Amino acid sequence: TIMGGYNVFRGQHCCHNAYLLNEILKGEWDFDGAVVSDWNGVHDTMEAAQNGMDVEMGTSRPYAEYYLARPFREAIERGELPEALADDKVRRVLRVMFRIGMFNADRKPGARLTPEHRQSALEIAREAVVLLKNEREILPLSQAAIRNLVVIGDNATIKHALGGNSSAVKTPCEVTPLEGLRRKLGGAVRIQHFRGYPPQAEGFEPIPAEVLGTADEGAGTHGWKGACYPNRECEGEAVQSADGGIDFDWTDSAPVEGWKPAQYSGIWKTTLTPPQSGVYQFVFEGANHASFGLDGQDLIQRWENGDGADVVTKSVALEAGRVYQACVWLKPTSPKVRLRLGWVPPGSDKGGERPEEWLEAVKAADAVLFFGGLNHQYDVEGCDRRDMALHDGQNALLERIAALNPKTVAVLIGGSPMEMPWVDRVPAIVQMGYGGMEGGNAIAEILFGDVNPSGKLTMTFPKALRDAPSHALNDYAADVCDYKEGIFVGYRWYDAKGIEPLFPFGHGLSYTTFRLSEMRLEKTGDGGACVRLNVSNTGRRSGAEVVQIYLGQPECSVPRPVRELKGFMKVALQPGETRSVEVELSREAFAFWSPANGGWTVEPGEFVVEAGVSSRDIRCKTRILVA
């Protein structure tokens, strides 16, 4: 299957674009599978029926009202559309079902959360970590030399897997970085954790999903059953959801695409079973007109008018094992909606921490690990980040920590670029990303040298937002963007404009060093070329390097990027080992799309072939003449 995008291309939505789906996908490419829409990506019955859309998906209204449901059937019954269109769509869906064995009598049952699955998750998490900076070889830390480790930051304990909307992963467990470090180091190392940020909601942590009732019976996941209504009265037909926690940001937006900000309401219900008896402090960060209650009694009410979020708390004694009925109501009157619910459980070491406590701990620590960055309030489907900043005072906090302890390591969690005004004052920086269910174990292994990092940045990290092409070209808007940068997307823009990035595309360090040498080219019979070169591990540790092959055409009749990635290969080497590697470049690697010719064109001339370890760290270069 192939999914259509939300964009409009040449006047038609991608989900029912005749040129993209019928002419190219099903015509030129001879695709005989099914085309599926992105959720609510279809906007017209006649176009969807005739222009290649096969399966319409969405969650915002009854299925009969979808463009390819009752309206499609009625158009066929009226004779406005041929029945053969429906036959073709059914045939494509059935073809996919047969190909994946859905009708096989001996079809084997699936499996979930096997040891093999967990091992794969761990290996993927290891390879995804990117070492951005490592002055004075701060990393890896020596387990034998560390006796007092201080961990600071909210992201050391936050579980991210259930957030981000469509990027959410329904996993029954997720190892946080703090848990991974404790498992790795055991009782041999004293680990002190301080939240550090955000200061406005000290001691605030999400309510663990495992103490909540079932939110999705089909998946077996725990959390909240939500119901959102397209009015402020919680009336009529609702859009149902299963949410891992109450953690939403609908600033100038709404829970469902197409709804107006502040013109909706919602109810979330679950059961809560406390793991221990004692006084729990509930923390409610939310916009106006929201409430939280247990067993029908409102504990926190924020019904006052006004913009912005408020942080309020309520302490209540709960009994271990008793099942409480929990409910959250939201009826916003302002478009600035930020809703988050958490607690400080009894005996928590997070509540009421004083800065002087962790400042003294930082000074005395053998090393400090700062876990910061983003979360799924910023990295989320359906809305754009408003900046590249680290919020909640992280920048000032990190600079203060680094000034107190020279062995400070910043571990950044997030899926998009971040500004780092402190980059010159922090000796070691690691980009962890969202590590999934085994992320905590993976980052602990890398920080202490059991695993040598080999990940590379899949995007450019600019120094400032103004350097990004969409902002430099004033082409950044909520609804309409024209993509004025053209072919100069990502690292191509920074190369073309001579802008130095914070960290370039393809960048990623290792605990060892590598040399690329003796690059040579050999033309192949299909009009392409084979790039051969030697890769040597010149350091003291085993490790893996990603060899990247870039191609550029300095003289061309159309604008071309300085370089474009055309191939790459990860090579694992022991200390002192050298290996010869090959990367094939097909003739298509030398081509560009020509609007004048209506196809891919290779323009004869001289090409520059480069081998490097990032788009800005080129180690070998040669030229080839293409006929």
Side-chain angles (χ1 to χ4, degrees):
T1 60
I2 285 182
M3 178 179 281
Y6 286 122
N7 306 61
V8 173
F9 178 70
R10 295 184 180 177
Q12 288 183 333
H13 285 273
C14 290
C15 281
H16 36 85
N17 189 291
Y19 176 65
L20 294 178
L21 301 184
N22 285 342
E23 292 188 35
I24 294 180
L25 180 63
K26 296 182 176 180
E28 292 181 25
W29 297 359
D30 199 27
F31 176 72
D32 64 357
V35 179
V36 181
S37 80
D38 208 338
W39 267 234
N40 302 321
V42 174
H43 303 272
D44 183 270
T45 295
M46 302 302 284
E47 284 192 1
Q50 299 177 96
N51 294 352
M53 177 51 59
D54 300 314
V55 180
E56 179 185 0
M57 300 301 293
T59 52
S60 60
R61 61 188 189 281
Y63 180 75
E65 298 179 10
Y66 286 16
Y67 294 99
L68 283 181
R70 177 178 48 77
F72 181 30
R73 187 195 70 225
E74 292 176 348
I76 293 175
E77 293 171 345
R78 293 192 301 266
E80 297 174 1
L81 293 171
E83 189 172 333
L85 286 173
D87 293 340
D88 178 65
K89 299 180 192 305
V90 171
R91 186 175 292 110
R92 289 174 175 274
V93 172
L94 287 173
R95 187 178 293 125
V96 173
M97 296 171 73
F98 275 107
R99 281 176 175 165
I100 65 175
M102 288 185 67
F103 300 109
N104 294 352
D106 59 346
R107 187 184 184 200
K108 295 180 179 180
R112 184 171 63 175
L113 200 65
T114 66
E116 292 79 12
H117 290 159
R118 296 201 65 163
Q119 183 62 30
S120 294
L122 177 60
E123 292 173 1
I124 292 169
R126 289 167 175 167
E127 293 204 51
V129 173
V130 183
L131 179 60
L132 298 178
K133 182 181 178 182
N134 193 21
E135 286 185 352
R136 307 191 307 275
E137 295 187 351
I138 294 291
L139 293 174
L141 299 174
S142 169
Q143 187 167 346
I146 301 293
R147 287 293 173 263
N148 185 11
L149 180 67
V150 168
V151 178
I152 292 184
D154 219 23
N155 269 344
T157 57
I158 289 180
K159 296 183 178 182
H160 298 278
L162 280 172
N165 294 345
S166 70
S167 66
V169 178
K170 295 178 179 178
T171 174
C173 59
E174 178 181 353
V175 180
T176 66
L178 185 60
E179 290 171 340
L181 289 166
R182 285 174 172 163
R183 291 183 184 183
K184 164 69 181 166
L185 303 176
V189 177
R190 182 192 183 200
I191 301 176
Q192 298 180 80
H193 174 244
F194 302 94
R195 192 163 183 243
Y197 74 91
Q200 68 270 25
E202 198 134 329
F204 181 12
E205 68 182 42
I207 300 176
E210 56 262 30
V211 307
L212 302 177
T214 302
D216 186 337
E217 284 81 5
T221 55
H222 291 255
W224 298 75
K225 292 182 178 180
C228 289
Y229 302 81
N231 54 66
R232 294 198 62 255
E233 292 72 40
C234 291
E235 296 178 350
E237 189 166 350
V239 175
Q240 308 292 330
S241 65
D243 303 293
I246 303 299
D247 194 352
F248 310 114
D249 189 349
W250 293 313
T251 302
D252 299 322
S253 63
V256 178
E257 183 184 12
W259 289 9
K260 295 181 179 179
Q263 298 301 310
Y264 57 87
S265 56
I267 306 173
W268 289 266
K269 295 181 179 180
T270 190
T271 59
L272 188 154
T273 307
Q276 58 180 313
S277 297
V279 176
Y280 289 75
Q281 184 184 44
F282 289 93
V283 184
F284 199 41
E285 178 184 4
N288 61 86
H289 284 69
S291 69
F292 163 68
L294 291 177
D295 287 348
Q297 178 183 359
D298 283 336
L299 298 180
I300 301 176
Q301 289 183 318
R302 301 300 297 173
W303 296 121
E304 298 86 354
N305 289 321
D307 292 341
D310 297 297
V311 177
V312 289
T313 64
K314 178 70 174 181
S315 295
V316 58
L318 302 179
E319 298 175 13
R322 176 181 168 183
V323 179
Y324 296 82
Q325 303 295 321
C327 184
V328 170
W329 292 73
L330 173 65
K331 297 182 179 181
T333 57
S334 165
K336 301 185 188 313
V337 174
R338 175 72 172 92
L339 192 65
R340 189 181 180 200
L341 175 68
W343 68 7
V344 179
S348 171
D349 60 356
K350 289 186 175 183
E353 66 184 32
R354 299 187 303 275
E356 56 269 22
E357 293 177 341
W358 59 259
L359 286 174
E360 290 302 318
V362 164
K363 293 178 185 178
D366 296 319
V368 179
L369 300 177
F370 176 88
F371 285 89
L374 307 174
N375 55 47
H376 286 308
Q377 294 306 317
Y378 303 100
D379 281 330
V380 64
E381 179 196 26
C383 64
D384 295 325
R385 289 174 60 194
R386 289 168 173 78
D387 51 47
M388 291 200 315
L390 298 182
H391 294 273
D392 300 319
Q394 292 184 63
N395 290 332
L397 177 61
L398 187 49
E399 290 197 26
R400 193 175 184 185
I401 293 170
L404 293 172
N405 194 311
K407 293 196 70 171
T408 295
V409 180
V411 182
L412 300 177
I413 293 177
S416 48
M418 295 163 249
E419 292 174 348
M420 304 179 197
W422 37 262
V423 66
D424 294 330
R425 292 178 287 281
V426 176
I429 307 171
V430 178
Q431 172 71 11
M432 179 178 170
Y434 296 108
M437 63 185 297
E438 291 290 334
N441 289 327
I443 194 64
E445 292 175 338
I446 284 178
L447 292 174
F448 280 87
D450 298 305
V451 174
N452 195 342
S454 61
K456 298 287 185 175
L457 287 183
T458 58
M459 66 197 87
T460 301
F461 275 38
K463 290 184 176 180
L465 188 61
R466 62 180 177 273
D467 293 338
S470 57
H471 288 265
L473 295 168
N474 194 28
D475 190 30
Y476 184 79
D479 299 316
V480 179
C481 299
D482 294 326
Y483 302 97
K484 296 176 183 177
E485 68 266 42
I487 64 169
F488 297 103
V489 177
Y491 65 92
R492 302 165 185 83
W493 171 265
Y494 300 91
D495 288 344
K497 300 301 179 181
I499 301 172
E500 182 183 359
L502 181 63
F503 295 107
F505 169 82
H507 173 72
L509 303 177
S510 170
Y511 295 153
T512 188
T513 54
F514 299 92
R515 181 179 66 246
L516 310 186
S517 62
E518 299 182 32
M519 186 171 76
R520 52 218 180 267
L521 294 177
E522 180 181 322
K523 293 185 179 181
T524 55
D526 61 354
C530 179
V531 182
R532 293 185 174 89
L533 72 157
N534 291 339
V535 185
S536 304
N537 183 342
T538 57
R540 302 184 302 272
R541 293 173 176 266
S542 61
E545 180 60 282
V546 180
V547 179
Q548 303 163 38
I549 304 299
Y550 294 87
L551 201 61
Q553 188 175 16
E555 301 294 334
C556 188
S557 61
V558 298
R560 300 291 301 274
V562 175
R563 61 181 58 88
E564 288 186 288
L565 182 69
K566 295 298 182 178
F568 62 91
M569 178 180 292
K570 178 173 280 192
V571 186
L573 298 169
Q574 295 297 318
E577 183 182 2
T578 296
R579 187 180 301 174
S580 178
V581 300
E582 297 181 359
V583 177
E584 296 284 343
L585 299 178
S586 67
R587 183 168 176 81
E588 286 72 25
F590 297 86
F592 62 89
W593 176 262
S594 172
N597 298 336
W600 294 95
T601 299
V602 177
E603 186 171 295
E606 189 176 63
F607 286 77
V608 177
V609 184
E610 299 173 320
V613 295
S614 82
S615 62
R616 290 296 179 95
D617 190 351
I618 303 300
R619 305 290 180 84
C620 300
K621 182 184 297 187
T622 188
R623 296 176 182 269
I624 185 173
L625 191 63
V626 176

